[in-house]
Amino acid sequence: PPPPPPPPPPPDPVAELDIIEYQFIKLRVRHITSGRGVVGGSVLFTPNAVIFDPDPKDPLVEELEPEAFQIIAPMEFVVNAAIFLEFFPIGRTGKTVGREHPPSQIFSKAEKSEGNSLQRQDTSESSYSLCQESKKEESITKEENNTDENSSDGKSSAKVVEEPRVDPYYLRLTMGKPVNREISRSTPTMAYGMQIMMPEYWFIVPSKQVNNLYNFFQCWFPEIYSPFDLEEIHEMGFELVPEPDLTKSDSVNSINTASKVIHKTMTLNSIDIDFLMPEMETPSELVSDDQRKFLFRHLPPRVQGYRWHLLFSTAKDGFSLHSLYRKCAQVDSPVLMIIQDTDHAVFGALISCPPAQTEKFLGTGESWLFTFFPSFKVYAWTGENNYIMRGGLNNLIVGSSEGMFGLWLDENFNQGRSQAVTTFDNKPLPGKEDFVINNIECWAFVM
């Protein structure tokens, strides 16, 4: 067994600050469909998905059926989000950028000074920070570009303080798909009764709710809330979703599964953090509930809402790689491996399939590495190679390039190594390459 760990480091005073967390947001909206009119209902935004459930009393819903207007769209495929002051025709994204008719601007909340309003922090290297809001503002500040055709003074935009807006706002979500990989059929995606994804989704948002929606996007997805930039989307490894063929039908099972997800999630009447935090059969000894929130945000959508099942733990199953293989043979789900070294650094990997002894590399682009040292950071699959996970007789490898390993563990779960690899474009997870293992937990996700 490994030597007893040294005492834990003193708590970080910054981590003790109160933080307002926008875990998810549910709004009453109207959805502007593609060719079917405008339908009222509720939309739920979570860090993993956007879900729209139509109002069963809406005349359009009564005429057809709820499934004809239901939407599930994974947030990982939203490549651009913007709240506009006006609506412009659907399907013109990327073709009339900056030339919408009528000209429209993206809503942004005023940032008066530090400590007030919304504080945005660095989100480099796939990391992110929660956001903090101090007070609700009595008035809305917006930026207006002086683009009047009769004006030639060329002045830049100016901030104008106005009375609270009465007219609604218009949210547009632009969808993309990865260039180098197919979207899994198990991904919960649904639009208008079919397992498809539309190029755009438009929602009419009440003015009194726009600040909450804006805060949510700035908190979880500041990198996509911006003016549309097709070149930037291509640099992200995505391309725009084409118009689907709405004449094709999909399997009844896919529709029923999506409908069950909508029914389960949309019964929520108020913000309840526990909804986004599925049950754990056994409390974790390595991560707190707050740390689990960080990990939850990056789980594959296909396991959203599933219970966390403690599949393996060195504390109860011993320090043996082969014991882990035996445990993993019992499940068919992604596995979250959490490692604590003797310096109390916590890090690990999300592997898209259970670790197993194999001669070749397994796994998909759903896999990623993570660390809580010195702060939370996720290293997603880059697409540079497919060396994601290989279970050997004497070691376990996650990520590899040029003879180095993103994560390497020996068969006795005693020694470990973490190096920079192009598979995940990561840094050494515990802050150094070599480490001694103190404890390991592996979590599976079950219904």
Side-chain angles (χ1 to χ4, degrees):
D12 183 358
V14 176
E16 301 298 325
L17 296 177
D18 291 334
I19 296 178
I20 298 175
E21 299 174 69
Y22 293 88
Q23 293 295 325
F24 61 90
I25 183 171
K26 179 184 177 185
L27 305 172
R28 290 287 299 175
V29 298
R30 286 181 291 163
H31 170 49
I32 305 174
T33 69
S34 179
R36 295 186 179 182
V38 180
V39 61
S42 298
V43 63
L44 179 71
F45 292 93
T46 79
N48 279 5
V50 52
I51 303 171
F52 175 74
D53 192 34
D55 184 350
K57 296 182 180 179
D58 188 283
L60 287 177
V61 179
E62 291 181 340
E63 180 181 346
L64 297 174
E65 56 184 357
E67 288 77 9
F69 300 98
Q70 290 174 338
I71 294 171
I72 299 180
M75 286 301 299
E76 65 176 310
F77 300 133
V78 178
V79 294
N80 183 258
I83 301 171
F84 292 96
L85 306 185
E86 297 93 14
F87 169 76
F88 50 91
I90 291 178
R92 305 178 73 174
T93 300
K95 300 177 182 178
T96 59
V97 177
R99 298 185 289 110
E100 296 89 1
H101 302 283
S104 186
Q105 293 178 312
I106 297 179
F107 169 85
S108 62
K109 189 176 176 183
E111 299 186 23
K112 294 181 179 180
S113 61
E114 288 193 21
N116 285 336
S117 190
L118 193 66
Q119 304 298 316
R120 292 180 56 179
Q121 302 180 12
D122 179 36
T123 56
S124 61
E125 296 185 306
S126 299
S127 66
Y128 67 95
S129 300
L130 294 176
C131 306
Q132 188 171 9
E133 184 186 22
S134 59
K135 294 182 180 180
K136 291 185 178 180
E137 298 176 13
E138 297 298 328
S139 63
I140 296 175
T141 301
K142 70 176 183 178
E143 295 186 7
E144 291 186 339
N145 293 323
N146 297 325
T147 54
D148 194 306
E149 295 180 357
N150 298 325
S151 175
S152 60
D153 55 8
K155 292 181 179 178
S156 60
S157 61
K159 291 187 177 180
V160 180
V161 179
E162 295 187 346
E163 293 298 320
R165 177 184 169 102
V166 177
D167 296 335
Y169 291 83
Y170 299 86
L171 170 67
R172 183 190 69 195
L173 302 177
T174 305
M175 308 304 295
K177 62 178 183 177
V179 175
N180 296 324
R181 65 182 175 94
E182 293 291 329
I183 299 176
S184 172
R185 295 290 295 175
S186 62
T187 301
T189 301
M190 178 182 176
Y192 310 145
M194 291 177 280
Q195 194 175 17
I196 58 174
M197 191 158 55
M198 300 297 290
E200 298 177 355
Y201 297 104
W202 280 88
F203 299 96
I204 303 175
V205 182
S207 58
K208 63 182 180 180
Q209 296 287 354
V210 72
N211 277 344
N212 292 333
L213 181 59
Y214 177 81
N215 287 338
F216 177 85
F217 278 110
Q218 291 296 341
C219 184
W220 291 102
F221 304 101
E223 69 279 3
I224 67 171
Y225 190 90
S226 62
F228 181 86
D229 188 332
L230 184 59
E231 183 176 344
E232 186 175 301
I233 291 172
H234 289 163
E235 290 177 355
M236 294 164 54
F238 285 82
E239 60 185 0
L240 297 182
V241 172
E243 284 285 347
D245 185 357
L246 298 179
T247 62
K248 293 182 179 180
S249 61
D250 212 326
S251 67
V252 175
N253 289 336
S254 298
I255 297 174
N256 288 342
T257 300
S259 297
K260 289 178 181 178
V261 172
I262 291 179
H263 176 74
K264 178 181 178 181
T265 57
M266 300 306 289
T267 55
L268 207 60
N269 293 320
S270 61
I271 292 182
D272 179 4
I273 292 178
D274 289 339
F275 165 74
L276 273 189
M277 295 300 295
E279 295 179 2
M280 301 182 79
E281 295 179 352
T282 305
S284 172
E285 296 181 2
L286 303 185
V287 293
S288 65
D289 282 344
D290 287 338
Q291 289 175 314
R292 200 158 65 94
K293 293 173 186 176
F294 286 95
L295 295 169
F296 176 84
R297 178 256 188 272
H298 292 275
L299 291 181
R302 62 189 173 104
V303 296
Q304 181 184 8
Y306 285 21
R307 287 184 297 109
W308 291 41
H309 167 65
L310 184 58
L311 183 65
F312 172 87
S313 169
T314 52
K316 69 171 186 176
D317 299 307
F319 289 76
S320 170
L321 175 61
H322 296 283
S323 294
L324 173 63
Y325 289 157
R326 287 194 294 270
K327 293 287 185 177
C328 287
Q330 304 171 10
V331 299
D332 181 18
S333 94
V335 171
L336 178 66
M337 174 177 285
I338 304 174
I339 302 168
Q340 182 192 61
D341 69 10
T342 53
D343 291 330
H344 290 278
V346 176
F347 51 94
L350 185 284
I351 308 170
S352 60
C353 59
Q357 188 172 335
T358 175
E359 295 182 357
K360 62 181 181 179
F361 280 88
L362 304 176
T364 69
E366 290 179 321
S367 308
W368 39 263
L369 300 176
F370 75 91
T371 182
F372 283 99
F373 178 87
S375 60
F376 181 69
K377 205 179 288 332
V378 160
Y379 298 98
W381 179 61
T382 62
E384 287 293 322
N385 63 48
N386 293 319
Y387 303 146
I388 293 174
M389 185 275 296
R390 188 183 71 186
L393 181 64
N394 301 318
N395 54 58
L396 176 67
I397 296 170
V398 182
S400 178
S401 66
E402 299 179 356
M404 295 184 289
F405 309 111
L407 191 60
W408 178 94
L409 307 176
D410 70 9
E411 62 177 323
N412 296 318
F413 286 155
N414 181 27
Q415 301 290 330
R417 176 170 293 178
S418 177
Q419 300 166 302
V421 295
T422 59
T423 314
F424 299 104
D425 192 23
N426 63 288
K427 298 178 181 178
L429 300 180
K432 57 185 179 182
E433 289 195 354
D434 296 310
F435 58 90
V436 178
I437 299 169
N438 183 50
N439 204 347
I440 295 178
E441 291 180 351
C442 289
W443 296 84
F445 306 93
V446 298
M447 290 291 287

